Amino acid sequence: MHKMAEGRKESGLRDSEVLWEPESVGDSHKAWGTTEEGDLETAGGVVVSGKGIRRRSALLAAGDRFSPGGPASGGATGDVEACLIEAAKATPRRSSIIKDSTRQKQEHKKTVSFSSMPSEKKINSASDCISFMQAGCELKKIRSNTRIYSRFFTLDIDFQALRWEPSKKDPEKAKLDVSSLKEVRVGKNTETFRSCSVVDQICEDCSFSLIYGENYESLDLVASSADIANIWVTGLRYVTSHSKQALDLIEASQNTLRTRWLHAVFEEADVDGNGIMLEDVAVKLIMQLNPGLKESKIRVKFREIQNQKGKLTTRVTKEEFTDVYYDLCTRPEVYFLLVQISGNKEYLDAKDLMFFLETEQGIINATEEMCLDLIRRYEPSEQGQMNGNLSIDGFTRYLTSPECNIFDPEHNRVCQDMTQPLSHYYINASHNTYITENTARSASDLLGYIKALELGCRSIELDVYDGPNEPVVSKRNNVTSPVSFHSVIKVINQYAFVASEYPLIMCLRNHCSVGQQKVMAQKMKMIFGNKMFTEPPDSSTSYLPSPEMLKRKIILKGKKLPQNTNLPEGDVTDEDEEAEISRKSTDAFFVAKRTIHLCRELSDLVSLCQTVQFSNFQDSMKKQKYWEICNFSEPEARTLANEYPEDFVNYNKRFLSRVYAGHLGLESSNLNPQEFWNCGCQIVTINYQTPGPMLDLNIGWFRQNGCCGYVLRPAIMRDEVSYFNAYTKGIVPGTLPQVLHIKIISGQMFPKPKGSGTKGDVIDPYVYVEIRGIPADCAEMRTKTVHLNGENPIFDESFEFEINLPELVTVRFVALDDDYIGDEFIGQYTIPYECLQSGYRHIPLHSITGEEMEHGTLFVHIATTDRRGGGKAHKRGHSVRKGKNIIKYTRIRNTGIKVIDDTFKTAGQPLREAADIRENVQNAIVSFKEICGLAPTANLTQCILTTSSRLLNNDNTSAVSLNIKDKYPYLEPSGLVSEIQKKVLSSYDLVIQETRYLIDVADTLYDKIQQCRMSGKAGL
């Protein structure tokens, strides 16, 4: 697979960062090294000033447990862009592992830094976050003047203040009192960030802001990695909520729900009751609690603990068992999420879980009883189940359960309208179905039909030749291992409707003599019986029957003799695809196609799918019958799609098109079905014996309708009066443009690529996200590489994709090894856009051959938002309040039919008015989100919850009252309110006003549009 350049650096700022101008530095302290005014610090580095004594005491108080950063480097103020590029290059790589701190001197004479290479130490509790903050690390401080300063931040031992250095301010002023903190806000969601001219170069996941004071001022910070940002956000929220009680919690951390559960598990397995157990028993016990964890890693962790204690025995104590489980089985990203949801508790109660389900997972009408049931099912501890508390282990189990799968379970059944004409559906089609290996010389095998039919294929192929005694199915010129025709149709009859009861199209490529054709017809009648659809087409209609009408029917596609003759046989052109490709690619193109004799018995079995030769769109639209189908080779179909995209779409509204791979090589490679789906081609054939991205795309695409083999095309590609060109840039008429937000959080249990030639099991994974659809929607992005970690690599990277036609989009997630020999593929998952579930989801990875991996998953967050006004997606940093409301309206194209053109002209004004109203509501909601300090992916429930905290007085009494007026909720001040509260109320009122106006006029506008529609119908 082609590798993209790394999408972004692993520092908080991207490739071309903004240069910061450092504040002046005080006198240096000899014992810690010195720095001169103007020196710069890179992410993770430490510049030491006269405040070094205070920093040293903070480090000692924190137990020197964590490394605050990596190597330091110096620099001076200069050209912004050039210096930023150098700063980005100097930024050290980070992993999701928090390191123990050790000091190492660097080459720079006037700086000192801390190494980021010591032994692994994961964050698995609030105490770890607090210890890390007390040890301190470097963060970048964003100022409103677009300057960025590198400063070393620490939390006081008594949790009273957050301090930073170096600073030209008095040491007692270069601090922020914890008591003044109003909220800790994640992402780039303050006015400072939005007004920053280079906000797009700052990583969203590394950014956070501290909102403080009565005027809600902000201290805006960027960490060197998303992991570091998560630690600060979690720790500061905890300290703000718990104050001095946090210290008591740290000291009493052994009494948590999780620890008590682990002790109970240990004691139950300790049959002797001695408080110790054999290492083998402890290893097996941890593997039972956390399936997928490698035995070797557990043993190494036990040996580390034993070596630290100088133990020679291999027996494990209760405390050692608990420590190893905490260290190996705690996923930091899940812990950070749990603390965020729970309001800084170490567990979720039913109300916390209900809030999570409603606001993040998109579950409507979640109830407390539903949440208690989830807790009972996923919480491992009996105490948690009884108390209605979900620990991190229970929360992890829930997140990895089928209930949090990324695939919407509604699409596991047939969920689309199946009463449309057959030509309005994409049909899952197999090419060279009888071949089971990725080569044209492979043996014919019945397993090819079984596999295709079990995967939901509704179009299969049979190449039939004369055999010694009866017809055989075989590849052209392949006489090594043919399969008897009789065996093939018996298998087809057995498996035809196992995976789907909708019609099966059997593409018959007949190369037999008349005698063996009669044998074929006789056997099909005998074996298929009344499943065979042989009714003559209804000439009084214009469209094919629907899949619903053709349930459990087998439709034979092939040549047919003219109906106006009673001859027992006649000549028809031979359907030899390879010969046809060869003919068209050489000088033989002008030579007439080879013909064969066709018997009447076989001809009479062909009804709805009579194969004819395509000439051009103009003739076909006039002369072709709806029951006739044309074959297109890949090059031929691509030429038509590129030169006549609108005509191809209109043609496919009435007629079936079959596209097959246009190659003559020995490899059964696959075409890209997406480019032919984009112009409406229904039967795009795929070699199921050839694994790879195109097969993954095809299988993923046809999962969206219960794997029944039929997917309804978008309305714009079905409606008689519609215009669609897949190559048109910008918005698609009749569809609402959207933005897909994908955050790749982490991976779990990535295996080593099967074909890798490297020694050992260590890999350097990264994740590649690919969007396929119409050309305007196609995009690809990749995460950073996480080195030497395939078990729980933390990526924490967010991407945005602009989607113009969601109904034609598929999303493919691929995990790859960046340091590979021979094979880089780890696993993949392909899903239609319509099947995505929003919220925090786990993605089950599939192997190259399509099997689901036992434990390999991706942890992601999915959100979709409307793209306001069409055109480009809303650019962060440019508020809707700062510009004019510009809307790009859908263009109305003249059809040349006066009645239709006049109707749409009349409807133009109410349609524009409706678009304006919708845009005003969306703008009001976006402004409300900005005022609340939330990301564009937030929903109104989250906005209301944030608003409620803003509208509290100092004594925690509400500053407003809720009044229902004309069924609408209004917020009115109860007394004096601050300026920030006025802004919140004003923004909320705007949302109510715009929404109310939309509701008030919606019926009137709808009636106007309906009147235009009815007058148009009357005119026709």
Coordinates of all heavy atoms in Angstrom, one line a residue, residues 298-369:
I298 N 3.4 -10.6 30.7 CA 3.0 -10.7 32.1 C 4.2 -11.2 32.9 O 4.5 -10.7 34.0 CB 1.8 -11.6 32.3 CG1 0.6 -11.0 31.4 CG2 1.4 -11.6 33.7 CD1 -0.6 -12.0 31.4
R299 N 4.9 -12.2 32.4 CA 6.0 -12.8 33.1 C 7.2 -11.8 33.3 O 7.8 -11.7 34.3 CB 6.5 -14.0 32.4 CG 5.5 -15.2 32.5 CD 6.1 -16.5 32.0 NE 5.1 -17.6 32.0 CZ 4.8 -18.3 33.1 NH1 5.4 -18.0 34.3 NH2 3.9 -19.2 33.1
V300 N 7.4 -11.0 32.2 CA 8.5 -10.0 32.3 C 8.1 -9.0 33.4 O 9.0 -8.6 34.1 CB 8.6 -9.3 30.9 CG1 9.5 -8.0 31.0 CG2 9.3 -10.3 29.9
K301 N 6.9 -8.6 33.5 CA 6.5 -7.6 34.5 C 6.7 -8.1 35.9 O 7.1 -7.4 36.8 CB 5.0 -7.2 34.2 CG 4.6 -6.0 35.1 CD 5.5 -4.7 34.9 CE 5.4 -4.2 33.5 NZ 6.2 -2.9 33.4
F302 N 6.3 -9.4 36.1 CA 6.5 -10.0 37.4 C 8.0 -10.1 37.7 O 8.4 -9.8 38.9 CB 5.9 -11.4 37.4 CG 4.5 -11.4 37.8 CD1 3.5 -12.0 37.0 CD2 4.0 -10.9 39.0 CE1 2.2 -12.1 37.3 CE2 2.6 -10.9 39.3 CZ 1.7 -11.5 38.5
R303 N 8.8 -10.4 36.7 CA 10.3 -10.5 37.0 C 10.9 -9.1 37.3 O 11.8 -9.0 38.2 CB 11.0 -11.1 35.7 CG 10.5 -12.5 35.4 CD 11.0 -13.5 36.3 NE 10.2 -14.7 36.2 CZ 10.5 -15.7 35.2 NH1 11.4 -15.4 34.3 NH2 9.8 -16.8 35.2
E304 N 10.3 -8.1 36.7 CA 10.8 -6.7 37.0 C 10.6 -6.4 38.5 O 11.4 -5.9 39.2 CB 10.1 -5.7 36.1 CG 10.6 -5.6 34.7 CD 9.9 -4.6 33.9 OE1 9.1 -3.8 34.5 OE2 10.1 -4.5 32.7
I305 N 9.4 -6.7 38.9 CA 9.0 -6.4 40.3 C 9.9 -7.2 41.3 O 10.4 -6.7 42.3 CB 7.5 -6.7 40.6 CG1 6.7 -5.7 39.8 CG2 7.2 -6.7 42.1 CD1 5.2 -5.9 40.0
Q306 N 10.1 -8.5 40.9 CA 10.9 -9.4 41.8 C 12.4 -8.9 41.8 O 13.0 -8.9 42.9 CB 10.8 -10.8 41.3 CG 9.4 -11.4 41.5 CD 9.2 -12.7 40.7 OE1 10.1 -13.1 39.9 NE2 8.0 -13.2 40.8
N307 N 12.9 -8.4 40.7 CA 14.3 -7.9 40.6 C 14.4 -6.7 41.5 O 15.4 -6.4 42.1 CB 14.7 -7.7 39.2 CG 14.9 -9.0 38.4 OD1 15.1 -10.1 39.0 ND2 14.8 -8.9 37.1
Q308 N 13.4 -5.8 41.4 CA 13.4 -4.6 42.2 C 13.5 -4.8 43.7 O 14.1 -4.1 44.4 CB 12.2 -3.7 41.8 CG 12.2 -3.1 40.4 CD 10.9 -2.4 40.1 OE1 10.0 -2.3 40.9 NE2 10.8 -1.9 38.9
K309 N 12.8 -5.9 44.1 CA 12.8 -6.2 45.5 C 13.9 -7.2 45.9 O 14.0 -7.5 47.1 CB 11.4 -6.9 45.8 CG 10.2 -5.9 45.7 CD 8.9 -6.6 46.1 CE 7.7 -5.6 46.0 NZ 6.5 -6.3 46.4
G310 N 14.7 -7.6 44.9 CA 15.7 -8.6 45.2 C 15.2 -9.9 45.6 O 15.9 -10.7 46.3
K311 N 14.0 -10.3 45.1 CA 13.5 -11.6 45.4 C 14.0 -12.7 44.5 O 14.3 -12.5 43.3 CB 11.9 -11.6 45.3 CG 11.2 -10.7 46.3 CD 9.7 -10.6 46.0 CE 9.1 -12.0 46.0 NZ 7.6 -11.9 45.8
L312 N 14.2 -13.9 45.1 CA 14.7 -15.0 44.3 C 13.5 -16.0 44.0 O 13.6 -16.8 43.1 CB 15.8 -15.7 45.0 CG 17.1 -14.9 45.3 CD1 18.1 -15.7 46.1 CD2 17.7 -14.4 44.0
T313 N 12.5 -15.9 44.7 CA 11.3 -16.8 44.6 C 10.4 -16.3 43.4 O 10.4 -15.2 43.0 CB 10.5 -16.9 45.8 OG1 9.4 -17.7 45.6 CG2 10.0 -15.5 46.2
T314 N 9.7 -17.3 42.9 CA 8.7 -16.9 41.8 C 7.3 -16.9 42.3 O 6.4 -16.9 41.5 CB 8.8 -18.0 40.7 OG1 8.5 -19.3 41.2 CG2 10.2 -18.0 40.0
R315 N 7.2 -16.8 43.6 CA 5.8 -16.7 44.2 C 5.4 -15.2 44.2 O 6.2 -14.3 44.4 CB 5.8 -17.3 45.6 CG 6.0 -18.8 45.6 CD 5.9 -19.4 47.0 NE 6.1 -20.9 46.9 CZ 5.2 -21.7 46.7 NH1 3.9 -21.3 46.5 NH2 5.4 -23.0 46.6
V316 N 4.1 -15.0 44.0 CA 3.5 -13.7 43.9 C 2.6 -13.3 45.0 O 1.8 -14.1 45.4 CB 2.7 -13.6 42.5 CG1 2.1 -12.2 42.4 CG2 3.7 -13.9 41.4
T317 N 2.8 -12.1 45.6 CA 1.9 -11.7 46.7 C 0.7 -11.0 46.1 O 0.6 -10.7 44.9 CB 2.7 -10.7 47.6 OG1 3.0 -9.5 46.8 CG2 4.0 -11.3 48.1
K318 N -0.2 -10.7 47.0 CA -1.5 -10.0 46.6 C -1.2 -8.7 46.0 O -1.7 -8.2 45.0 CB -2.4 -9.9 47.8 CG -3.8 -9.3 47.4 CD -4.5 -9.0 48.7 CE -4.7 -10.2 49.6 NZ -5.5 -9.9 50.8
E319 N -0.2 -7.9 46.6 CA 0.1 -6.6 46.2 C 0.8 -6.6 44.8 O 0.6 -5.8 44.0 CB 1.0 -5.9 47.2 CG 0.2 -5.5 48.5 CD -0.1 -6.7 49.4 OE1 0.5 -7.8 49.2 OE2 -1.1 -6.6 50.2
E320 N 1.7 -7.6 44.7 CA 2.4 -7.7 43.4 C 1.4 -8.0 42.2 O 1.5 -7.5 41.1 CB 3.5 -8.8 43.5 CG 4.6 -8.4 44.4 CD 5.6 -9.5 44.7 OE1 5.2 -10.7 44.4 OE2 6.7 -9.2 45.2
F321 N 0.5 -8.9 42.5 CA -0.5 -9.3 41.5 C -1.4 -8.1 41.1 O -1.6 -7.8 40.0 CB -1.5 -10.4 42.1 CG -2.7 -10.7 41.3 CD1 -2.6 -11.5 40.2 CD2 -3.9 -10.1 41.6 CE1 -3.7 -11.8 39.5 CE2 -5.0 -10.4 40.8 CZ -4.9 -11.2 39.8
T322 N -1.7 -7.3 42.2 CA -2.5 -6.1 41.9 C -1.7 -5.0 41.1 O -2.2 -4.4 40.1 CB -3.0 -5.4 43.2 OG1 -3.7 -6.4 44.0 CG2 -3.9 -4.2 43.0
D323 N -0.5 -4.8 41.4 CA 0.4 -3.9 40.7 C 0.6 -4.3 39.3 O 0.5 -3.4 38.4 CB 1.8 -3.8 41.4 CG 1.7 -3.1 42.7 OD1 0.6 -2.4 43.0 OD2 2.6 -3.2 43.5
V324 N 0.8 -5.5 39.0 CA 1.0 -6.0 37.6 C -0.3 -5.8 36.8 O -0.3 -5.4 35.7 CB 1.5 -7.4 37.6 CG1 1.4 -8.0 36.2 CG2 2.9 -7.5 38.1
Y325 N -1.4 -6.2 37.4 CA -2.7 -6.0 36.7 C -2.9 -4.5 36.4 O -3.3 -4.2 35.3 CB -3.8 -6.6 37.6 CG -5.2 -6.5 36.9 CD1 -5.6 -7.5 36.0 CD2 -6.0 -5.4 37.0 CE1 -6.8 -7.5 35.4 CE2 -7.2 -5.3 36.3 CZ -7.6 -6.3 35.5 OH -8.8 -6.2 34.8
Y326 N -2.7 -3.7 37.4 CA -2.9 -2.2 37.2 C -2.1 -1.7 36.0 O -2.5 -1.0 35.2 CB -2.5 -1.4 38.4 CG -3.7 -1.1 39.3 CD1 -4.3 -2.0 40.1 CD2 -4.2 0.2 39.4 CE1 -5.4 -1.7 41.0 CE2 -5.2 0.6 40.2 CZ -5.8 -0.4 41.0 OH -6.9 0.0 41.8
D327 N -0.8 -2.2 36.0 CA 0.1 -1.7 35.0 C -0.1 -2.2 33.6 O 0.0 -1.5 32.6 CB 1.6 -2.1 35.4 CG 2.6 -1.2 34.8 OD1 2.4 0.0 34.8 OD2 3.6 -1.8 34.2
L328 N -0.6 -3.5 33.5 CA -0.7 -4.1 32.2 C -2.2 -4.0 31.7 O -2.4 -4.0 30.4 CB -0.3 -5.5 32.2 CG 1.2 -5.8 32.5 CD1 1.4 -7.4 32.5 CD2 2.1 -5.2 31.5
C329 N -3.1 -3.9 32.5 CA -4.5 -3.9 32.1 C -5.3 -2.6 32.2 O -6.5 -2.6 32.0 CB -5.3 -5.0 32.9 SG -4.5 -6.6 32.8
T330 N -4.6 -1.5 32.5 CA -5.2 -0.2 32.5 C -5.0 0.5 31.2 O -3.8 0.7 30.8 CB -4.7 0.6 33.7 OG1 -4.9 0.0 34.9 CG2 -5.4 2.0 33.7
R331 N -6.0 0.8 30.5 CA -5.8 1.6 29.2 C -6.0 3.0 29.6 O -7.1 3.5 30.0 CB -6.9 1.1 28.2 CG -6.6 -0.2 27.6 CD -7.7 -0.7 26.7 NE -8.1 0.3 25.7 CZ -9.1 0.2 24.9 NH1 -9.9 -1.0 24.9 NH2 -9.4 1.1 24.0
P332 N -4.9 3.8 29.5 CA -4.9 5.2 29.9 C -6.0 6.0 29.2 O -6.7 6.9 29.9 CB -3.6 5.8 29.5 CG -2.7 4.6 29.5 CD -3.5 3.4 29.0
E333 N -6.3 5.8 27.9 CA -7.3 6.5 27.2 C -8.7 6.3 27.7 O -9.5 7.2 27.7 CB -7.2 6.3 25.7 CG -7.7 4.9 25.2 CD -6.7 3.7 25.4 OE1 -5.8 3.9 26.2 OE2 -6.9 2.7 24.8
V334 N -8.9 5.0 28.2 CA -10.2 4.7 28.8 C -10.3 5.4 30.2 O -11.4 5.9 30.5 CB -10.4 3.2 28.9 CG1 -11.8 2.9 29.5 CG2 -10.4 2.6 27.5
Y335 N -9.2 5.4 30.9 CA -9.3 6.0 32.2 C -9.6 7.5 32.1 O -10.4 8.0 32.9 CB -7.9 5.8 32.9 CG -7.8 6.6 34.2 CD1 -8.5 6.2 35.4 CD2 -7.1 7.8 34.3 CE1 -8.5 6.9 36.5 CE2 -7.0 8.5 35.4 CZ -7.7 8.1 36.6 OH -7.7 8.8 37.7
F336 N -8.9 8.2 31.2 CA -9.1 9.6 31.0 C -10.6 9.9 30.6 O -11.2 10.8 31.1 CB -8.2 10.2 29.9 CG -6.8 10.2 30.3 CD1 -5.8 9.8 29.3 CD2 -6.4 10.6 31.5 CE1 -4.5 9.8 29.7 CE2 -5.0 10.6 31.8 CZ -4.1 10.3 30.9
L337 N -11.2 9.0 29.8 CA -12.6 9.2 29.4 C -13.5 8.9 30.6 O -14.5 9.7 30.8 CB -12.9 8.2 28.3 CG -14.3 8.2 27.8 CD1 -14.7 9.5 27.2 CD2 -14.5 7.1 26.7
L338 N -13.2 7.9 31.4 CA -14.1 7.6 32.5 C -14.1 8.8 33.5 O -15.1 9.2 34.0 CB -13.6 6.3 33.2 CG -14.3 5.9 34.5 CD1 -14.4 4.4 34.5 CD2 -13.6 6.4 35.7
V339 N -12.9 9.3 33.8 CA -12.8 10.4 34.8 C -13.6 11.7 34.2 O -14.3 12.4 35.0 CB -11.4 10.8 35.1 CG1 -11.3 12.0 35.9 CG2 -10.7 9.6 35.8
Q340 N -13.5 11.9 32.9 CA -14.2 13.0 32.3 C -15.7 12.9 32.4 O -16.4 13.8 32.8 CB -13.8 13.1 30.8 CG -14.5 14.2 30.1 CD -14.2 14.1 28.6 OE1 -13.2 13.6 28.2 NE2 -15.1 14.7 27.8
I341 N -16.2 11.7 32.2 CA -17.6 11.5 32.3 C -18.2 11.5 33.7 O -19.2 12.0 34.0 CB -18.0 10.1 31.6 CG1 -17.5 10.1 30.2 CG2 -19.5 9.8 31.7 CD1 -17.5 8.7 29.6
S342 N -17.4 10.9 34.6 CA -17.9 10.7 36.0 C -17.8 11.9 36.8 O -18.2 11.9 38.0 CB -17.0 9.6 36.6 OG -15.7 10.0 36.8
G343 N -17.3 13.0 36.3 CA -17.1 14.2 37.2 C -16.0 14.0 38.2 O -16.1 14.3 39.4
N344 N -14.9 13.3 37.7 CA -13.6 13.1 38.5 C -13.8 12.1 39.6 O -13.2 12.2 40.6 CB -13.2 14.5 39.0 CG -13.0 15.5 38.0 OD1 -12.4 15.3 37.0 ND2 -13.7 16.7 38.2
K345 N -14.6 11.1 39.3 CA -14.6 9.9 40.2 C -13.9 8.8 39.5 O -13.6 8.8 38.3 CB -16.1 9.5 40.4 CG -17.0 10.6 41.1 CD -18.3 10.0 41.6 CE -19.1 9.4 40.5 NZ -19.7 10.4 39.6
E346 N -13.6 7.7 40.3 CA -12.9 6.6 39.7 C -13.9 5.5 39.2 O -13.5 4.4 38.9 CB -12.0 6.0 40.8 CG -11.0 6.9 41.4 CD -9.7 7.0 40.5 OE1 -9.4 6.1 39.9 OE2 -9.2 8.1 40.5
Y347 N -15.1 5.9 39.1 CA -16.2 4.9 38.6 C -17.3 5.7 38.0 O -17.4 6.9 38.2 CB -16.6 4.0 39.7 CG -17.3 4.8 40.9 CD1 -18.6 5.1 40.9 CD2 -16.5 5.1 42.0 CE1 -19.2 5.9 41.9 CE2 -17.0 5.9 43.0 CZ -18.4 6.2 43.0 OH -18.9 6.9 44.0
L348 N -18.2 5.0 37.3 CA -19.4 5.7 36.8 C -20.6 5.1 37.5 O -20.7 3.9 37.8 CB -19.6 5.3 35.3 CG -18.5 5.7 34.3 CD1 -18.9 5.2 32.9 CD2 -18.4 7.3 34.3
D349 N -21.5 6.0 37.9 CA -22.8 5.6 38.4 C -23.8 5.6 37.3 O -23.5 5.9 36.2 CB -23.3 6.4 39.6 CG -23.4 7.9 39.3 OD1 -23.7 8.2 38.2 OD2 -23.2 8.7 40.2
A350 N -25.0 5.2 37.6 CA -26.1 5.1 36.6 C -26.3 6.4 35.8 O -26.5 6.4 34.6 CB -27.4 4.5 37.1
K351 N -26.3 7.5 36.6 CA -26.6 8.8 36.0 C -25.4 9.2 35.1 O -25.6 9.8 34.0 CB -26.8 9.9 37.1 CG -28.1 9.7 37.8 CD -28.3 10.8 38.8 CE -29.7 10.6 39.6 NZ -29.9 11.7 40.5
D352 N -24.2 8.9 35.5 CA -23.0 9.2 34.6 C -23.1 8.4 33.3 O -22.9 9.0 32.2 CB -21.7 8.8 35.3 CG -21.5 9.6 36.6 OD1 -21.9 10.8 36.6 OD2 -20.9 9.1 37.5
L353 N -23.5 7.2 33.4 CA -23.6 6.3 32.3 C -24.7 6.8 31.3 O -24.6 6.8 30.1 CB -23.8 4.8 32.7 CG -23.7 3.8 31.6 CD1 -22.4 3.9 30.8 CD2 -23.9 2.4 32.2
M354 N -25.8 7.2 31.9 CA -26.9 7.7 31.1 C -26.6 8.9 30.4 O -26.9 9.1 29.2 CB -28.1 7.9 32.0 CG -29.4 8.3 31.3 SD -30.9 8.2 32.3 CE -30.6 9.5 33.5
F355 N -25.8 9.8 31.0 CA -25.3 11.0 30.4 C -24.4 10.6 29.2 O -24.5 11.2 28.1 CB -24.6 11.9 31.4 CG -23.8 13.0 30.8 CD1 -24.4 14.2 30.4 CD2 -22.4 12.9 30.6 CE1 -23.7 15.2 29.8 CE2 -21.7 13.9 30.1 CZ -22.3 15.1 29.6
F356 N -23.5 9.7 29.4 CA -22.6 9.2 28.4 C -23.4 8.7 27.2 O -23.1 9.0 26.0 CB -21.7 8.2 28.9 CG -20.7 7.6 27.9 CD1 -19.7 8.3 27.4 CD2 -20.9 6.2 27.6 CE1 -18.9 7.7 26.4 CE2 -20.1 5.6 26.6 CZ -19.0 6.4 26.1
L357 N -24.4 7.8 27.4 CA -25.1 7.2 26.4 C -25.9 8.2 25.5 O -26.0 8.1 24.3 CB -26.1 6.2 26.9 CG -25.5 5.0 27.7 CD1 -26.7 4.1 28.2 CD2 -24.6 4.2 26.7
E358 N -26.5 9.2 26.2 CA -27.3 10.2 25.5 C -26.4 11.2 24.7 O -26.7 11.5 23.6 CB -28.1 11.0 26.5 CG -29.3 10.1 27.1 CD -30.1 10.9 28.1 OE1 -29.6 11.9 28.6 OE2 -31.2 10.5 28.4
T359 N -25.4 11.7 25.4 CA -24.6 12.8 24.8 C -23.5 12.4 23.8 O -23.2 13.0 22.8 CB -23.9 13.7 25.8 OG1 -23.0 12.9 26.6 CG2 -25.0 14.3 26.7
E360 N -23.0 11.2 24.0 CA -21.9 10.7 23.2 C -22.3 9.6 22.3 O -21.9 9.6 21.1 CB -20.7 10.3 24.1 CG -19.9 11.4 24.8 CD -19.2 12.3 23.8 OE1 -19.1 12.0 22.6 OE2 -18.7 13.3 24.3
Q361 N -23.0 8.6 22.8 CA -23.3 7.4 22.0 C -24.6 7.6 21.2 O -24.9 6.7 20.4 CB -23.4 6.2 22.9 CG -22.2 6.0 23.8 CD -20.9 5.7 23.0 OE1 -20.3 6.7 22.7 NE2 -20.6 4.5 22.7
G362 N -25.3 8.7 21.3 CA -26.5 8.9 20.5 C -27.6 8.0 20.8 O -28.5 7.8 19.9
I363 N -27.7 7.5 22.0 CA -28.9 6.6 22.4 C -30.0 7.5 22.9 O -29.8 8.2 24.0 CB -28.4 5.6 23.4 CG1 -27.4 4.7 22.8 CG2 -29.6 4.8 23.9 CD1 -26.9 3.6 23.8
I364 N -31.1 7.5 22.2 CA -32.2 8.3 22.6 C -33.0 7.6 23.7 O -33.2 6.4 23.7 CB -33.1 8.6 21.4 CG1 -32.2 9.3 20.3 CG2 -34.3 9.5 21.7 CD1 -33.0 9.5 19.0
N365 N -33.5 8.4 24.6 CA -34.4 7.9 25.7 C -33.7 6.8 26.6 O -34.3 5.8 26.9 CB -35.7 7.3 25.1 CG -36.5 8.3 24.3 OD1 -36.6 9.5 24.7 ND2 -37.1 7.9 23.2
A366 N -32.4 7.0 26.8 CA -31.8 6.1 27.8 C -32.4 6.3 29.1 O -32.7 7.4 29.6 CB -30.3 6.4 27.8
T367 N -32.5 5.2 29.9 CA -33.1 5.3 31.2 C -32.1 4.8 32.3 O -31.1 4.2 32.0 CB -34.4 4.4 31.3 OG1 -34.0 3.0 31.1 CG2 -35.4 4.8 30.3
E368 N -32.4 5.2 33.5 CA -31.5 4.8 34.6 C -31.5 3.3 34.8 O -30.5 2.6 35.0 CB -31.9 5.5 35.9 CG -30.8 5.5 37.0 CD -31.1 6.5 38.1 OE1 -31.8 7.5 37.8 OE2 -30.6 6.2 39.2
E369 N -32.7 2.7 34.5 CA -32.8 1.2 34.7 C -32.0 0.5 33.6 O -31.3 -0.5 33.8 CB -34.3 0.8 34.5 CG -34.5 -0.7 34.7 CD -33.9 -1.3 36.0 OE1 -34.0 -0.6 37.1 OE2 -33.3 -2.4 36.0

